[in-house]
Amino acid sequence: MQAFFRKSFFIIMGLLGLLPQHSHGQMGLNMHWQRDSLRALLNAQPIDTNRVLRLIQLGQLYEGSQPDSAKALYQRAGRLSERLHYPLGVAKYIANYTSVLNVEGRFAESAQLNQRAVALSRRYHLRRYLAVSLGNLSNVYLRQENYPLAIATMLQARPLLEALHDQSSLSLLYNSLSVCYDNLHQNAQALRCGRQALALGETMHDDYLVTLACIQLGNTYKATGHLRESLAAYQRGYVLARKLRVVEAQKSIVFNLADLYVQLEDPARARPLYQQAVQLADSIHDVEGQAEARKGMALSYYLAQQYGQAEQYARQGLNLASRHGIKKVQRDCYDVLADVAVAQGRLVAGQRLRRQADALAETLLGAAVQKSAQEVETRYRVQQQRAALAQQRRTLLLRQHQVAQQRGWLLAAGVGVGLLGLLLLSTYRYYRQRHKLDAQRLQTLRAEAEAQRLKALLDGQAQERQRISQEMHDDLGAGLTAILYLSHALQGPPAQALSAAARISQAASQLVGKMNEVIWTLNDAHDTLESLVLYLRTNTAELLDDAGLEYHFDIEEPVPGLRVAKEVRRNVYLVVREAVHNAIKHAACRRVAIQIHFRGGLHVCVHDDGQGLPAEAAAPANCRLGNGLTNMHARMSQLAGQLSLESGPAGTRVRLWSPLPA
């Protein structure tokens, strides 16, 4: 089981001082008195900017227990700020209102409002609230699992907070960076940022900041296998969270402790903790916490071999995660359901659920995130190279100026008998300096060439993204459009709706297959000849199994340990798949044999025992089979390879050859 131990990203809900006041444990027995006092002040307050601030303060008192009332008060503050042309009031309204939206899982709406707050703060030079808005926006990006963009946004906020000497907000910012690096499996950076957050919280003697840092450090230690350090951090954080009465923190620690016991294979101790996490998440209407806690319950029941309860809780968690787009929890729930199906002997269902989990895993941590990280690193290297070039040019000018001064001084100071000696010394120094300058110019030229190479690499990556975008549009656009139109038929008569549902299921399965093909093509981990052969064998066998045909593979052993370009893998796979598809659809055969060997290149032969093809069937103008053969020839031409077809009463042979790297 690919169990995922939850990252407590709730910590940035209070980023930059925006957490409602009661979340820090300041909510006491006089809460009703505070509300009544604020309402009395509000009724007596004139319609001015102070009234805006009272509305926001009153909303903060309602936020923990009555979020709908808090939102209504925040919206009143926003409308009044608009009437008064009070930009700071608008920024404060957005900051507090979006904190409630985040708890409700309405991330798209929250991101749009925070982007408006960033633009507003820049326009009116609101330095503090520019940092606040950037921090809140990075919170939304983190919840949407866009970790590179979240990191980039946080790094924009950091210099603003340093200039404001806001140590509390810097502690929260470092905690958020640790969460992002943790999710990208960059453990060293996650640990460094978590320790910085803890040090700032301890310096300020702020128990709330220390609580958050302990939770995140516990997560990082757990991810790296340091379970003793993880348990100590969680226990310290839980004591402080109970002291501060912060329900969100208590929920996160309880959940992570349960995960820790699962990792220690002790489901009996984990289950009551998961149940407590469910109750805490339900009490604060935290949809992500609700989904995560139910996934944890499912995992504990699975480990205890209580498969019925495990499937029930996994389905509940999957439904919640799907409604709110929480991909990590979806992936984990699919993993639990797949394990349950296998344990119950439902192997086909287990395989299907595992493919869905793997597809989500590729989406979360696959080629797109890695490529984004590589592009950021490449841009950084280009900037560093350009800075080095500028420094070298400045050094050259300075040294040239120094050489000119030395020459003038030597020519002016030489008198009498010592003139010749001074002239010889000056000449010697001049040529020696000239040699150094030539060497530095050569180094500069090499650096410029390296910068050009890096630029070409970025341009090539841009072209690769364009090609991927075109493939996604061509391969998946038509299928999605078909599903859209078929969905209208679901409202028709029952017979028509059943037919449309079957066709929608078939189209969706085809789209999943095409997506897996695209992911496999892009994944650099599969750029070997052995991976290509394994992928050909697995997928063609699945096609032939579904068609009910006998088949046989004859593959030369051993497979050479060669790296194969993406274009070769993709085109060879598509040609072989088309040949097998033609045998299934047109040959009326009972058996298909596939031979693969590597002498003088990659040779693949697809042979069926069918009735053969009529002469006119291979003509592109006559049938779809002709179009397929044309596409097959075109793909092999792109690889400088060859394709041949032999058809007769004994069946049809399709042979392809592609050169391989030496």
Side-chain angles (χ1 to χ4, degrees):
M1 158 106 35
Q2 300 176 356
F4 176 80
F5 295 99
R6 180 175 186 260
K7 312 300 181 187
S8 61
F9 60 80
F10 84 92
I11 60 177
I12 64 174
M13 289 182 60
L15 188 59
L16 312 179
L18 290 183
L19 194 74
Q21 294 175 1
H22 59 268
S23 296
H24 289 265
Q26 298 175 5
M27 183 177 182
L29 298 175
N30 59 348
M31 175 62 71
H32 292 293
W33 179 84
Q34 292 180 31
R35 291 178 184 173
D36 294 341
S37 299
L38 279 174
R39 286 193 176 278
L41 286 173
L42 193 60
N43 293 331
Q45 192 88 42
I47 300 177
D48 58 8
T49 56
N50 288 325
R51 188 179 182 88
V52 172
L53 301 180
R54 297 298 183 200
L55 285 167
I56 290 176
Q57 290 174 353
L58 186 59
Q60 289 174 341
L61 293 176
Y62 277 102
E63 189 172 314
S65 58
Q66 300 179 37
D68 290 336
S69 299
K71 286 193 296 183
L73 290 165
Y74 293 150
Q75 288 172 326
R76 285 177 58 189
R79 289 192 295 269
L80 181 55
S81 298
E82 296 281 2
R83 285 174 51 196
L84 298 173
H85 302 288
Y86 180 34
L88 180 59
V90 176
K92 289 184 176 181
Y93 140 69
I94 292 175
N96 286 274
Y97 184 70
T98 55
S99 70
V100 183
L101 294 182
N102 291 341
V103 174
E104 295 176 346
R106 297 163 61 182
F107 303 132
E109 184 179 351
S110 178
Q112 186 176 8
L113 284 171
N114 281 305
Q115 287 165 356
R116 179 190 173 198
V118 169
L120 190 71
S121 299
R122 285 196 172 119
R123 178 180 176 186
Y124 291 99
H125 307 290
L126 307 175
R127 286 201 310 159
R128 169 164 292 281
Y129 266 85
L130 177 56
V132 168
S133 303
L134 287 169
N136 289 338
L137 185 58
S138 68
N139 175 26
V140 179
Y141 289 145
L142 190 152
R143 285 176 171 267
Q144 291 177 321
E145 300 163 2
N146 191 340
Y147 305 118
L149 189 54
I151 291 172
T153 308
M154 290 177 202
L155 294 180
Q156 292 182 54
R158 185 172 65 181
L160 297 171
L161 295 175
E162 290 173 344
L164 294 167
H165 304 290
D166 190 343
Q167 301 299 311
S168 297
S169 298
L170 277 173
S171 175
L172 291 166
L173 184 71
Y174 279 120
N175 228 336
S176 303
L177 284 169
S178 179
V179 173
C180 292
Y181 286 127
D182 211 356
N183 280 280
L184 291 172
H185 301 297
Q186 298 180 15
N187 297 324
Q189 294 91 324
L191 193 60
R192 174 176 54 81
C193 291
R195 287 171 175 167
Q196 287 177 295
L198 179 61
L200 287 168
E202 290 175 338
T203 300
M204 299 182 65
H205 305 288
D206 189 322
D207 288 344
Y208 180 71
L209 298 178
V210 172
T211 301
L212 300 182
C214 286
I215 295 171
Q216 179 52 28
L217 281 172
N219 293 338
T220 304
Y221 283 132
K222 181 171 59 177
T224 56
H226 296 82
L227 303 186
R228 181 178 298 175
E229 292 86 346
S230 176
L231 184 60
Y234 286 146
Q235 289 173 340
R236 181 183 179 188
Y238 189 70
V239 170
L240 292 174
R242 289 288 299 272
K243 172 185 173 183
L244 296 172
R245 300 180 183 177
V246 183
V247 176
E248 178 66 40
Q250 295 177 48
K251 178 208 67 180
S252 181
I253 295 173
V254 167
F255 190 92
N256 282 288
L257 280 172
D259 276 350
L260 187 60
Y261 285 126
V262 167
Q263 193 170 353
L264 294 172
E265 298 182 356
D266 191 353
R269 298 181 69 179
R271 190 178 305 148
L273 292 171
Y274 282 130
Q275 290 172 337
Q276 184 180 355
V278 169
Q279 296 169 357
L280 291 169
D282 289 344
S283 70
I284 59 175
H285 309 289
D286 180 359
V287 292
E288 181 158 8
Q290 293 169 341
E292 284 273 16
R294 283 162 173 79
K295 183 266 297 182
M297 288 290 294
L299 183 58
S300 68
Y301 276 117
Y302 168 76
L303 293 175
Q305 299 183 3
Q306 299 180 27
Y307 301 127
Q309 293 92 329
E311 183 172 8
Q312 177 184 352
Y313 277 103
R315 293 287 180 190
Q316 292 177 9
L318 180 61
N319 291 336
L320 280 169
S322 300
R323 284 202 303 270
H324 297 282
I326 309 169
K327 296 186 181 66
K328 293 182 297 186
V329 182
Q330 289 179 261
R331 189 265 321 270
D332 293 341
C333 289
Y334 276 126
D335 263 338
V336 175
L337 289 171
D339 287 341
V340 169
V342 171
Q344 293 177 333
R346 297 182 287 118
L347 301 182
V348 175
Q351 186 179 15
R352 174 176 55 79
L353 292 164
R354 185 75 68 200
R355 283 199 297 267
Q356 291 174 297
D358 290 344
L360 284 169
E362 289 283 353
T363 301
L364 288 169
L365 299 172
V369 171
Q370 298 301 325
K371 181 175 290 185
S372 174
Q374 291 170 1
E375 288 174 356
V376 170
E377 181 180 356
T378 303
R379 284 196 293 271
Y380 173 77
R381 290 174 57 193
V382 170
Q383 291 172 356
Q384 292 294 96
Q385 201 74 6
R386 288 174 179 170
L389 287 173
Q391 182 62 35
Q392 289 173 357
R393 291 192 184 98
R394 288 193 294 270
T395 303
L396 283 173
L397 291 174
L398 178 61
R399 291 186 178 180
Q400 287 173 346
H401 181 66
Q402 292 173 347
V403 170
Q405 286 182 334
Q406 290 174 358
R407 289 179 61 191
W409 179 82
L410 290 172
L411 290 172
V415 181
V417 179
L419 180 61
L420 180 59
L422 291 174
L423 286 173
L424 289 174
L425 181 60
S426 177
T427 303
Y428 169 75
R429 289 184 175 179
Y430 170 76
Y431 281 106
R432 184 179 178 183
Q433 190 65 35
R434 183 67 177 269
H435 177 72
K436 290 182 179 179
L437 290 174
D438 290 339
Q440 289 173 351
R441 290 192 185 97
L442 179 60
Q443 184 179 0
T444 301
L445 290 174
R446 289 175 178 171
E448 289 177 346
E450 176 65 11
Q452 291 293 328
R453 187 188 70 81
L454 292 175
K455 182 178 182 299
L457 175 62
L458 286 175
D459 292 339
Q461 290 176 344
Q463 293 175 2
E464 180 69 6
R465 289 195 298 273
Q466 179 63 29
R467 184 185 70 79
I468 294 168
S469 176
Q470 184 64 39
E471 286 185 0
M472 294 291 285
H473 178 272
D474 293 341
D475 291 344
L476 305 182
L480 292 173
T481 302
I483 290 175
L484 175 62
Y485 282 108
L486 286 171
S487 65
H488 297 318
L490 295 175
Q491 301 175 2
Q496 183 181 359
L498 286 174
S499 175
R503 293 173 65 187
I504 288 173
S505 176
Q506 181 181 6
S509 298
Q510 292 173 353
L511 287 178
V512 171
K514 290 179 180 178
M515 177 63 75
N516 288 334
E517 290 174 10
V518 172
I519 293 172
W520 174 78
T521 302
L522 295 178
N523 194 336
D524 291 337
H526 302 312
D527 62 352
T528 63
L529 183 58
E530 184 178 6
S531 177
L532 171 60
V533 172
L534 178 61
Y535 197 75
L536 283 173
R537 182 167 190 166
T538 302
N539 286 275
T540 53
E542 185 175 354
L543 285 174
L544 294 167
D545 277 332
D546 292 342
L549 298 180
E550 298 180 11
Y551 57 89
H552 173 71
F553 286 93
D554 183 7
I555 300 175
E556 180 182 354
E557 296 290 347
V559 179
L562 299 175
R563 301 183 75 85
V564 182
K566 295 176 182 177
E567 293 78 8
V568 175
R569 289 192 287 124
R570 180 175 180 273
N571 285 322
V572 168
Y573 167 69
L574 291 176
V575 170
V576 173
R577 188 187 69 178
E578 183 67 21
V580 173
H581 178 79
N582 287 340
I584 294 171
K585 294 295 183 181
H586 305 289
C589 62
R590 293 177 299 175
R591 189 174 186 274
V592 175
I594 300 174
Q595 297 177 329
I596 303 176
H597 65 88
F598 315 103
R599 296 181 296 277
L602 173 61
H603 297 264
V604 182
C605 175
V606 180
H607 178 208
D608 65 70
D609 63 352
Q611 62 190 4
L613 300 176
E616 65 276 9
N622 290 334
C623 67
R624 183 237 180 268
L625 180 57
N627 292 331
L629 291 173
T630 301
N631 292 336
M632 292 162 71
H633 280 289
R635 292 187 185 281
M636 295 311 300
S637 297
Q638 293 176 10
L639 304 180
Q642 297 176 1
L643 179 74
S644 64
L645 184 145
E646 303 172 7
S647 182
T652 302
R653 294 179 188 270
V654 178
R655 303 178 187 272
L656 66 90
W657 170 82
S658 173
L660 290 174

